[in-house]
């Protein structure tokens, strides 16, 4: 029996009445609460794997100001970035709310469907957790707030509670942290950058993450284009605008030495793996036990200082530009056990272990050999490529079998003539490895590097003979992960820096399950590792002893 039109109409009206009833009930039950306890937030504590403390953070850097003390350009930039129709729209966007709530409830990812009013409610009255209950409360509080407060007051609250990175809460603190000026002095270019930061505070900090500058600039352009579209900025002003590089960060002395680098690496890992967002972490109260081992960390720092930093000549101009970064990964577990980020986090903000704006150089060559063994590759004249295969190591010898012209120099312009792959690895002979990359196939080499652990979006990881010479800009940590895969007989598991997280002393935060897979054959990994041992014993890696 099919339902009649009366039955359908009755059912529809029943649903409508239920929705209206639920709305009225929710509106009457949900009150605007007092401000949350963010101003009294607890510190986050970061620990070595044995429970001893690395560092703690938690002091809020905020200076609330009236809307009149925030430049119109800054107000417009944030609106262009987050909610362009703020002054004409309602307090909530039901369609976006339903979509975000459904995706959260069904496990499709945490998504925001919030207007500026809703974001302010979350920042000031509620918390950062992504739950359906919080979204429902946010919905009703936003509606009530919109009825009781003028739009200017809500925007003022939002600008004073938003997080901009560098421990800066509110646009006044952000203007000081990034440009050393007050919010009332922000021009369109600087304001647009600060507005871009709200979307991804630490990721878009181009000083801490120079490798992300392109993404930050793209977001900056999006904000400026939005300002032009809304007639808050003239097209002629927009056309001549240059990206305003922020100043170096001022870091609390409690983060001096390696502590700040380690904490920053933990925060980046949490955000990248969607374990805790920066907003959630900012609420404080987390006790984070890392995989870092204190004895190995201390030994690592001492080794870098003794073997490199203390040997630099302050009077040599070249030595002034030396940057050191290091990471040690346990091959069997994928755990980061030690990290060296730079000379001092207070003096140099950028973590040299995780940045991706330097070429990896000859450390990439083992991936070419591993790929050759993995793919059973042959030379142009049909000889199987093994450590004992003979290549022509003549300096500036043009690569054969490549459509373009490429004739790389060997170190010190030295020609080696006929030389085995093992010897060429010991001496890091560019002519041999550029040819081998073509023999194997540059795309296959790239695939092997990614399988070992390099991110697919590694800058300059492109097909061509130059791939063998390390033009790719992977981080030190990326390379350590890939080398750990070789050392683990070709089994790859993504690195981890977290062992355990508790909240307020009790609640355990779920961590991603660690899985491993056979990235390359055991033969490929073990053959490459054996050759690398020879490099340390007899070749260019001898100082590592």
């Amino acid at each position: 029996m099919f339902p009649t039109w009366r039955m359908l109409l009755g059912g529809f009206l029943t649903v409508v009445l239920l929705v209206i009833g639920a709305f009225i009930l929710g509106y009457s039950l949900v009150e605007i609460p007092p401000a949350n306890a963010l101003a009294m937030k607890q510190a986050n504590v970061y620990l070595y794997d044995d429970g001893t403390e690395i560092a703690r953070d938690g002091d809020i850097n905020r200076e609330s100001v009236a809307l009149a003390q925030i430049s119109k350009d800054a107000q417009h930039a944030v609106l262009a970035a987050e909610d362009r129709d703020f002054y004409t729209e309602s307090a909530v966007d039901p369609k976006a709310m339903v979509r975000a709530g459904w995706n959260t409830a069904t496990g499709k990812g945490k998504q925001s469907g919030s207007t500026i009013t809703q974001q302010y409610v979350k920042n000031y009255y509620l918390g950062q957790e992504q739950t359906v209950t919080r979204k429902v409360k946010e919905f009703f509080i936003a509606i009530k707030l919109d009825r009781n407060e003028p739009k200017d007051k809500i925007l003022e609250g939002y600008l004073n509670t938003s997080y901009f990175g560098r421990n800066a809460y509110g646009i006044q603190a952000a203007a000081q942290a990034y440009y050393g000026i007050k919010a009332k002095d922000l021009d369109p270019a600087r304001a647009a950058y600060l507005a871009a930061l709200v979307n991804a505070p630490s990721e878009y900090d181009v000083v801490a993450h120079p490798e992300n500058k392109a993404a930050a600039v793209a977001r900056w352009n999006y904000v400026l284009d939005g300002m032009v579209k809304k007639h808050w900025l003239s097209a002629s002003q927009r056309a001549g605008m240059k990206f305003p590089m922020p100043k170096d960060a001022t870091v609390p002395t409690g983060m001096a030495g390696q502590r700040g680098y380690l904490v920053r690496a933990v925060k980046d890992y949490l955000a990248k793996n969607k374990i805790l967002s920066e907003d959630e972490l900012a609420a404080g109260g987390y006790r984070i036990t890392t995989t870092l081992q204190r004895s190995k960390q201390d030994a690592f720092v001492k080794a870098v200082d003794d073997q490199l930093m203390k040997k630099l000549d302050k009077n040599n101009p070249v030595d002034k530009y030396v940057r050191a970064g290091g990471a040690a990964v346990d091959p069997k577990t994928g755990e980061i056990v030690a990290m060296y980020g730079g000379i001092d986090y207070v003096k140099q903000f950028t973590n040299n272990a995780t940045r991706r704006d330097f070429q990896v150089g000859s450390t990439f060559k083992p991936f070419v050999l591993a790929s050759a063994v993995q793919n059973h590759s042959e030379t142009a004249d049909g000889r199987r490529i093994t450590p004992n295969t003979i290549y022509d190591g003549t300096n500036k010898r043009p690569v054969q079998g490549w459509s373009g012209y490429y004739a790389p120099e060997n170190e010190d312009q030295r020609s080696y003539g006929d030389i085995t792959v093992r010897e060429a690895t010991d001496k890091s002979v560019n002519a041999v490895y550029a040819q081998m990359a073509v023999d194997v196939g540059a795309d296959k080499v790239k695939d092997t590097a990614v399988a070992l652990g390099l991110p697919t979006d590694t800058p300059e990881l492109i097909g061509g003979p130059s791939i063998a010479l390390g033009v790719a800009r992977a981080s030190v940590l990326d390379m350590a992960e890939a080398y750990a895969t070789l050392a683990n007989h070709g089994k790859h598991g993504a690195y981890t820096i977290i062992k355990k997280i508790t909240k307020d002393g009790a609640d355990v935060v779920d961590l991603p399950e660690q899985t491993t897979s056979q990235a390359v054959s055991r033969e490929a990994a073990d053959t490459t590792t054996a050759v690398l041992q020879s490099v340390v014993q007899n070749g260019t890696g001898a100082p590592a002893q």
Side-chain angles (χ1 to χ4, degrees):
M1 173 181 170
F2 293 100
T4 65
W5 68 269
R6 287 188 179 87
M7 294 171 65
L8 291 173
L9 180 60
F12 174 74
L13 291 174
T14 300
V15 171
V16 170
L17 288 171
L18 286 172
V19 170
I20 294 172
F23 179 85
I24 294 171
L25 182 63
Y27 189 83
S28 62
L29 290 177
V30 177
E31 298 292 336
I32 297 178
N36 63 36
L38 184 62
M40 300 173 63
K41 76 175 184 125
Q42 303 174 63
N44 293 313
V45 183
Y46 301 84
L47 307 167
Y48 287 108
D49 72 333
D50 63 359
T52 56
E53 186 173 310
I54 298 172
R56 62 176 61 217
D57 62 10
D59 294 329
I60 288 183
N61 174 25
R62 179 194 285 123
E63 180 187 348
S64 295
V65 293
L67 194 62
Q69 294 176 279
I70 302 170
S71 73
K72 280 291 183 183
D73 287 327
Q75 296 176 42
H76 291 152
V78 171
L79 292 173
E82 298 296 315
D83 192 352
R84 297 178 184 181
D85 298 318
F86 169 73
Y87 277 100
T88 57
E89 71 182 0
S90 62
V92 297
D93 181 349
K95 286 172 60 179
M97 279 281 292
V98 170
R99 182 181 64 247
W102 175 256
N103 287 336
T104 299
T106 57
K108 293 182 179 178
K110 299 175 182 178
Q111 298 183 7
S112 173
S114 302
T115 63
I116 273 183
T117 304
Q118 291 171 270
Q119 291 181 56
Y120 172 51
V121 168
K122 178 182 68 173
N123 291 343
Y124 191 68
Y125 295 106
L126 299 174
Q128 301 299 330
E129 69 278 4
Q130 292 278 6
T131 63
V132 173
T133 302
R134 196 221 76 202
K135 297 298 284 186
V136 171
K137 287 182 179 179
E138 178 187 294
F139 179 86
F140 288 112
I141 294 172
I143 293 173
K144 284 191 172 184
L145 194 68
D146 199 45
R147 290 171 61 89
N148 297 331
E149 297 280 0
K151 290 280 191 180
D152 279 355
K153 197 68 179 174
I154 294 171
L155 179 60
E156 177 185 297
Y158 176 74
L159 291 170
N160 280 315
T161 55
S162 293
Y163 184 60
F164 291 83
R166 295 194 180 183
N167 200 35
Y169 292 81
I171 198 160
Q172 177 83 333
Q176 286 284 346
Y178 288 90
Y179 294 110
I181 62 177
K182 294 182 177 179
K184 68 181 180 64
D185 298 321
L186 286 167
D187 56 23
R190 291 180 176 87
Y193 177 62
L194 295 186
L197 286 167
V198 176
N199 187 251
S202 292
E203 183 180 342
Y204 287 164
D205 186 338
V206 294
V207 174
H209 291 287
E211 71 278 8
N212 291 344
K213 185 177 180 181
V217 172
R219 181 70 179 175
W220 176 75
N221 281 318
Y222 166 80
V223 175
L224 290 174
D225 291 343
M227 293 174 73
V228 173
K229 189 174 182 179
K230 297 295 290 186
H231 305 293
W232 294 326
L233 180 68
S234 71
S236 58
Q237 279 183 290
R238 166 75 180 92
M241 218 163 275
K242 292 183 178 179
F243 182 75
M245 278 295 293
K247 68 186 184 73
D248 288 346
T250 302
V251 180
T253 54
M255 292 292 169
Q258 295 301 307
R259 291 191 294 273
Y261 298 121
L262 301 181
V263 169
R264 183 71 264 163
V266 169
K267 288 182 175 180
D268 289 345
Y269 179 87
L270 293 172
K272 178 184 175 184
N273 291 279
K274 296 181 172 56
I275 301 167
L276 289 173
S277 71
E278 194 139 11
D279 285 341
E280 288 174 307
L281 199 59
Y286 291 98
R287 191 174 178 86
I288 302 167
T289 304
T290 71
T291 60
L292 297 161
Q293 299 178 24
R294 186 167 191 165
S295 59
K296 288 184 170 62
Q297 178 67 27
D298 291 344
F300 201 164
V301 174
K302 186 177 186 302
V304 175
D305 288 343
D306 290 347
Q307 300 300 320
L308 176 62
M309 305 311 293
K310 289 180 181 178
K311 295 181 179 181
L312 298 177
D313 184 355
K314 295 180 180 178
N315 298 317
N316 185 345
V318 175
D319 284 1
K320 294 179 181 178
Y321 299 99
V322 172
R323 297 288 182 270
V329 177
D330 185 328
K332 293 191 179 302
T333 64
E335 294 180 348
I336 301 172
V337 296
M339 179 182 288
Y340 184 93
I343 188 169
D344 188 334
Y345 190 67
V346 173
K347 297 176 182 177
Q348 180 205 310
F349 190 49
T350 306
N351 189 338
N352 292 332
T354 58
R355 67 192 300 174
R356 286 183 180 142
D357 56 338
F358 288 118
Q359 293 182 339
V360 301
S362 291
T363 58
F364 194 93
K365 287 188 174 102
F367 304 157
V368 183
L369 176 57
S371 190
V373 179
Q374 171 74 13
N375 292 290
H376 308 291
S377 301
E378 298 180 344
T379 62
D381 56 0
R383 291 173 292 126
R384 178 80 174 271
I385 299 175
T386 72
N388 297 318
T389 301
I390 293 176
Y391 269 95
D392 182 356
T394 302
N395 183 51
K396 293 185 179 179
R397 179 181 62 80
V399 171
Q400 305 299 309
W402 177 248
S403 57
Y405 180 81
Y406 190 65
E409 295 180 0
N410 293 332
E411 188 176 353
D412 299 328
Q413 302 280 324
R414 183 177 174 184
S415 287
Y416 292 90
D418 288 345
I419 187 172
T420 66
V421 168
R422 187 184 302 276
E423 292 173 304
T425 309
D426 286 351
K427 296 176 173 60
S428 193
V429 181
N430 291 339
V432 170
Y433 268 90
Q435 183 63 58
M436 196 191 307
V438 172
D439 292 345
V440 176
D443 288 337
K444 290 181 180 178
V445 172
K446 176 182 175 180
D447 291 343
T448 298
V450 170
L452 290 170
L454 264 61
T456 54
D457 60 351
T458 298
E460 303 304 320
L461 185 61
I462 52 179
S466 63
I467 193 173
L469 277 52
V471 295
R473 299 200 301 268
S475 72
V476 172
L477 182 53
D478 295 333
M479 295 299 289
E481 181 178 338
Y483 271 67
T485 304
L486 292 173
N488 195 32
H489 309 298
K491 290 183 179 179
H492 173 254
Y495 76 84
T496 179
I497 196 171
I498 306 293
K499 274 204 170 190
K500 182 181 179 183
I501 303 176
T502 60
K503 177 73 163 69
D504 298 327
D507 301 331
V508 178
V509 177
D510 291 334
L511 299 176
E513 185 180 350
Q514 294 299 114
T515 59
T516 59
S517 60
Q518 195 72 40
V520 298
S521 67
R522 179 162 185 152
E523 179 191 10
D526 291 354
T527 300
T528 305
T529 300
V531 173
L532 284 172
Q533 290 172 334
S534 176
V535 174
V536 174
Q537 293 163 357
N538 309 305
T540 55
Q545 298 183 59

